[in-house]
């Protein structure tokens, strides 16, 4: 039972905070202090995508769970994530007569990421992702009418197993809300049962470690700067990645965080906590940029101004060049992962779209939620968009090598006009670049996730580099690294799905 021995907390106050308000309210300090007298079965650091299922399933087994959450609300990255998830054997597939299996899911993941995700964690994922999605469905999660699909913005699966919930999609990044809407009532239920207690606006700053190396609890700081200690049998790090911490991100990936759009609390706290007790980091070298971010400005990190639709969503009419004014990839390559890796080889991961007026008028929209006409309005007003009446002037305005760009366009046009094969084997060449005004859009490689994360074993125990587990310490979600689950590519759903699935599994087993 929760101790009530703090004289400043009356029984009435205790009851007030025990009756369903806990996930919505910040507890007063006396209550927080009273909770520090308890011994918890499980302490979860981070009430987000991975932490909430872990807390729910541990609580359902009768364990007493404390969730430490730095933000004022639970949900974490689900508030900003597109929430696209994938799994084999789901009720959504069944409804459409789609046949699928964990083995096919495994093969697709490994094909797309060139066998670079952790094989043990990937196997666990494919075996349990379907049941996790079915659990969400049982709790009210719904998906777009035309889903599951084989692909959206990333390389295609061989089977339609990829879906997104429709809620919150007024923002293109809002589908995570559909998942949170299914999970939140289950959290509230366990709070009402007294099985889960949540401390909001409370930051885990340190782990308590015994002299023999076992983890015994967590040291936190509340929103008034007060330090408290909570002791528990098991501690789960579920505090997300570091994609809102530019300094740490660059240190771990060797690449600047060009665009910041992760959840603000994704500061990498868990990575540092895990390392501080003997854990090790892996996976930063798997970093791969995404295609087509139009940044707001030249700051690092910058913010998104627009995002270009990649080859999975529209076949390109334009050509793509680097700062040398040279093409570097087959623009219509069937794998966007291939294109993204070539972008990763360019200086500062920059790539310029080059097109002429006729292309602009006739081709499908390049940028999400923008009519192509807007590109004309932005040209010469926004620093990422330029236009000029000749290719040479366009290159000069855009900061590209003028002679090279002229030669590149000439060669592209000549091959096309003379019915010769394209230098890069490109097939989709609807028009040459002939008549000005010509346009350029400067785009940058970018990422939403941290590839680097704590090394864990198949039981989600944080391990030392030697493989030896750190007793009582577990990690799930992006804190174990997007690279561990998605490899060196963006495989459909391999951020949210493993976070939910490993959270559920750990809660069931811990
Ligand atoms: C814009 C965007 C779109 C994305 N779209 C997709 C997608 O469509 N599909 C996909 O698979 N993946 C997607 N991802 C990735 C995926 O959403 C994340 O990898 C996943 O949600 C991370 O879950 P998590 O539980 O590790 O972290 P979170 O959900 O962020 O949870 C971590 C929690 O820990 C809390 N916390 C942090 N530090 C502390 C501390 N010191 N003490 C206490 N609490 C702390 C945070 O406040 C947060 O609530 C997207 C990511 C972004 C940013």
């Amino acid at each position: 039972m929760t101790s009530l021995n703090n004289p400043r907390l009356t029984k009435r106050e205790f009851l007030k905070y025990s009756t369903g308000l806990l996930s919505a309210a910040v507890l007063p300090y006396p209550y927080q202090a009273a909770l520090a007298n308890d011994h918890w079965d499980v302490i979860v650091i981070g009430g987000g995508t991975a932490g909430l299922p872990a807390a729910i399933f541990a609580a359902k087994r009768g364990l007493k769970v404390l969730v430490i959450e730095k933000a004022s609300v639970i949900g974490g990255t689900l508030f900003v994530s597109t929430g696209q998830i994938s799994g084999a054997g789901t009720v959504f597939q069944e409804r459409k007569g789609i046949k699928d299996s964990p083995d096919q899911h495994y093969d697709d993941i490994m094909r797309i990421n060139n066998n670079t995700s952790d094989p043990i964690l990937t196997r666990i994922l494919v075996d349990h992702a379907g049941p996790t999605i079915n659990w969400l469905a049982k709790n009210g999660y719904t998906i777009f009418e035309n889903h599951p699909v084989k692909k959206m913005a990333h390389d295609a699966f061989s089977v339609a197993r990829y879906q997104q919930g429709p809620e919150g999609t007024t923002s293109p990044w809002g589908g995570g809300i559909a998942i949170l809407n299914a999970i939140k009532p289950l959290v509230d239920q366990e709070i009402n049962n007294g099985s889960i207690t949540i401390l909001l606006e409370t930051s885990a700053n340190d782990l308590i470690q015994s002299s023999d190396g076992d983890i015994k609890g967590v040291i936190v700081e509340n929103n008034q700067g007060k330090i408290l200690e909570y002791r528990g049998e098991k501690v789960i790090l579920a505090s997300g990645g570091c994609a809102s911490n530019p300094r740490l991100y660059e240190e771990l990936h060797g690449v600047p965080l060009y665009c910041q759009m992760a959840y603000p609390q994704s500061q990498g706290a868990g990575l540092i906590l895990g390392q501080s007790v003997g854990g090790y980091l892996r996976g930063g070298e798997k970093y791969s940029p995404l295609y087509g971010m139009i940044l707001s400005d030249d700051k690092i990190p910058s913010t998104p101004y627009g995002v270009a639709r990649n080859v999975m969503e529209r076949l390109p009419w334009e050509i793509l060049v680097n700062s040398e004014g040279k093409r570097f990839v087959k623009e219509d390559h069937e794998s966007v992962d291939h294109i993204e890796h070539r972008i990763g080889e360019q200086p500062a991961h920059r790539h310029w779209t080059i097109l002429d007026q006729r292309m602009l008028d006739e081709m499908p929209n390049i940028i999400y939620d923008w009519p192509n006409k807007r590109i004309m309005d932005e040209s010469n007003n926004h620093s990422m968009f330029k236009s000029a009446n000749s290719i040479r002037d366009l290159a000069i305005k855009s900061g590209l090598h003028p002679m090279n760009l002229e030669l590149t366009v000439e060669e592209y046009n000549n091959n096309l006009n003379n019915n010769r094969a394209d230098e890069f084997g490109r097939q989709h060449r609807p028009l040459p670049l002939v008549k000005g005004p010509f346009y350029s859009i400067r785009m940058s490689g970018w990422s939403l996730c941290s590839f680097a994360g704590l090394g864990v074993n198949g039981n989600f125990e944080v391990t030392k580099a030697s493989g030896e587990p750190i007793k009582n310490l577990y990690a799930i979600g992006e804190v174990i690294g997007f690279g561990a689950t998605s490899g060196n590519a963006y495989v459909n759903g391999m951020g949210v799905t493993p976070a939910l699935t490993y959270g559920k599994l750990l809660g069931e087993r811990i």
Side-chain angles (χ1 to χ4, degrees):
M1 265 304 291
T2 302
S3 318
L4 281 175
N5 55 3
N6 190 314
R8 282 151 65 203
L9 188 77
T10 64
K11 183 144 194 179
R12 207 146 136 242
E13 281 170 322
F14 173 78
L15 286 173
K16 182 175 132 201
Y17 287 105
S18 305
T19 52
L21 292 172
L22 291 185
S23 67
V26 178
L27 300 182
Y29 178 67
Y31 191 92
Q32 298 169 15
L35 294 176
N37 295 322
D38 281 5
H39 192 83
W40 300 88
D41 294 319
V42 181
I43 301 177
V44 182
I45 300 177
T49 320
L52 292 177
I56 292 165
F57 281 91
K60 272 157 74 103
R61 289 171 48 221
L63 301 179
K64 200 169 71 153
V65 181
L66 178 67
V67 178
I68 312 281
E69 172 50 56
K70 191 173 174 184
S72 312
V73 281
I74 55 168
T77 299
L78 288 176
F79 283 111
V80 295
S81 177
T82 325
Q84 293 165 351
I85 50 179
S86 54
T90 65
V91 288
F92 301 119
Q93 289 178 314
E94 202 178 304
R95 271 177 219 161
K96 299 213 160 172
I98 299 163
K99 296 262 173 286
D100 196 6
S101 71
D103 284 349
Q104 282 168 281
H105 192 186
Y106 185 91
D107 291 346
D108 274 344
I109 293 170
M110 289 302 194
R111 168 182 53 81
I112 293 169
N113 72 25
N114 320 296
N115 287 305
T116 54
S117 57
D118 181 307
I120 295 172
L121 294 175
T122 306
R123 187 72 240 176
I124 296 172
L125 186 274
V126 297
D127 287 341
H128 298 275
T132 302
I133 293 171
N134 290 343
W135 163 69
L136 290 177
K138 204 172 122 212
N139 290 292
Y141 172 73
T142 56
I143 62 170
F144 280 118
E145 193 80 344
N146 59 333
H147 286 196
V149 291
K150 285 186 184 173
K151 66 178 168 89
M152 279 191 263
H154 310 299
D155 277 11
F157 285 141
S158 58
V159 175
R161 70 165 76 87
Y162 189 45
Q163 56 252 301
Q164 181 182 344
E167 286 97 336
T169 43
T170 44
S171 144
W173 317 109
I177 300 289
I179 296 169
L180 186 57
N181 286 348
I183 292 178
K184 177 78 173 25
L186 306 176
V187 179
D188 289 339
Q189 203 177 314
E190 296 304 333
I191 290 170
N192 284 328
N193 292 343
S195 316
I196 295 181
T197 301
I198 298 183
L199 293 180
L200 294 174
E201 295 188 16
T202 304
S203 174
N205 285 356
D206 220 337
L207 294 171
I208 304 169
Q209 190 172 31
S210 69
S211 53
D212 50 9
D214 300 358
I215 300 305
K216 299 286 183 189
V218 182
I219 299 176
V220 308
E221 182 177 351
N222 77 2
N223 59 3
Q224 295 150 18
K226 295 213 186 316
I227 305 294
L228 290 151
E229 282 187 27
Y230 295 97
R231 304 237 158 208
E233 285 299 306
K234 312 276 179 196
V235 174
I236 301 176
L237 295 170
S239 49
C242 68
S244 274
N245 183 336
R247 190 192 52 74
L248 184 61
Y249 196 91
E250 185 164 355
E251 192 181 308
L252 297 181
H253 299 87
V255 177
L257 185 64
Y258 292 115
C259 184
Q260 187 170 334
M261 53 189 302
Y263 191 57
Q265 308 296 354
S266 300
Q267 296 289 330
L271 283 77
I272 293 162
L273 290 176
Q275 267 188 307
S276 73
V277 294
Y280 76 103
L281 297 179
R282 61 178 180 180
E285 75 289 350
K286 293 183 185 166
Y287 174 90
S288 174
L290 284 158
Y291 175 88
M293 173 59 73
I294 301 150
L295 298 170
S296 300
D297 48 39
D298 276 322
K299 289 193 198 107
I300 294 180
S302 183
T303 51
Y305 193 67
V307 184
R309 293 159 73 213
N310 68 34
V311 69
M312 307 316 286
E313 312 240 316
R314 62 176 271 281
L315 282 170
W317 290 41
E318 70 279 10
I319 60 167
L320 212 56
V321 300
N322 59 18
S323 55
E324 287 294 301
K326 293 182 177 170
R327 288 173 66 209
F328 57 90
V329 72
K330 180 183 175 203
E331 291 91 341
D332 63 347
H333 199 284
E334 55 283 3
S335 161
V336 67
D337 178 60
H338 171 88
I339 296 172
E340 288 169 341
H341 276 88
R342 298 296 80 73
I343 288 171
E345 292 160 4
Q346 308 312 314
H349 299 180
R350 285 188 185 164
H351 44 297
W352 281 259
T353 273
I354 308 289
L355 59 149
D356 73 358
Q357 185 67 47
R358 188 169 163 207
M359 284 179 175
L360 191 93
D361 292 339
E362 295 184 20
M363 69 186 182
N365 291 342
I366 298 191
I367 300 169
Y368 283 105
D369 302 328
W370 285 29
N372 282 342
K373 199 177 147 307
R374 183 167 161 192
I375 293 170
M376 289 159 64
D377 302 335
E378 297 285 350
S379 292
N380 306 323
N381 285 325
H382 190 281
S383 61
M384 303 298 156
F385 298 83
K386 303 289 178 205
S387 73
N389 286 327
S390 71
I391 290 290
R392 187 182 175 78
D393 287 350
L394 183 74
I396 292 168
K397 277 189 174 179
S398 311
L400 303 174
H401 193 298
M403 270 148 60
N404 283 351
L405 188 64
E406 278 183 325
L407 284 173
T408 298
V409 171
E410 204 180 301
E411 184 169 2
Y412 181 77
N413 288 347
N414 280 342
N415 285 337
L416 179 56
N417 293 335
N418 295 311
N419 221 5
R420 285 200 302 259
D422 177 72
E423 193 190 347
F424 290 85
R426 174 171 168 169
Q427 301 294 317
H428 188 255
R429 296 183 288 174
L431 291 174
L433 291 97
V434 181
K435 193 163 177 294
F438 298 96
Y439 297 90
S440 77
I441 308 171
R442 194 186 102 189
M443 308 193 294
S444 175
W446 59 294
S447 182
L448 305 154
C449 305
S450 23
F451 286 73
L454 288 171
V456 293
N457 62 21
N459 298 320
F460 310 112
E461 292 170 294
V462 178
T463 70
K464 300 177 183 170
S466 64
E468 186 196 338
I470 297 163
K471 207 161 161 222
N472 306 331
L473 186 64
Y474 299 78
I476 44 172
E478 209 177 299
V479 74
I480 68 171
F482 185 68
T485 54
S486 198
N488 70 2
Y490 295 84
V491 181
N492 296 312
M494 284 307 275
V496 173
T497 326
L500 294 168
T501 304
Y502 300 162
K504 177 173 178 287
L505 272 180
L506 188 57
E508 284 167 346
R509 293 172 180 181
I510 198 167

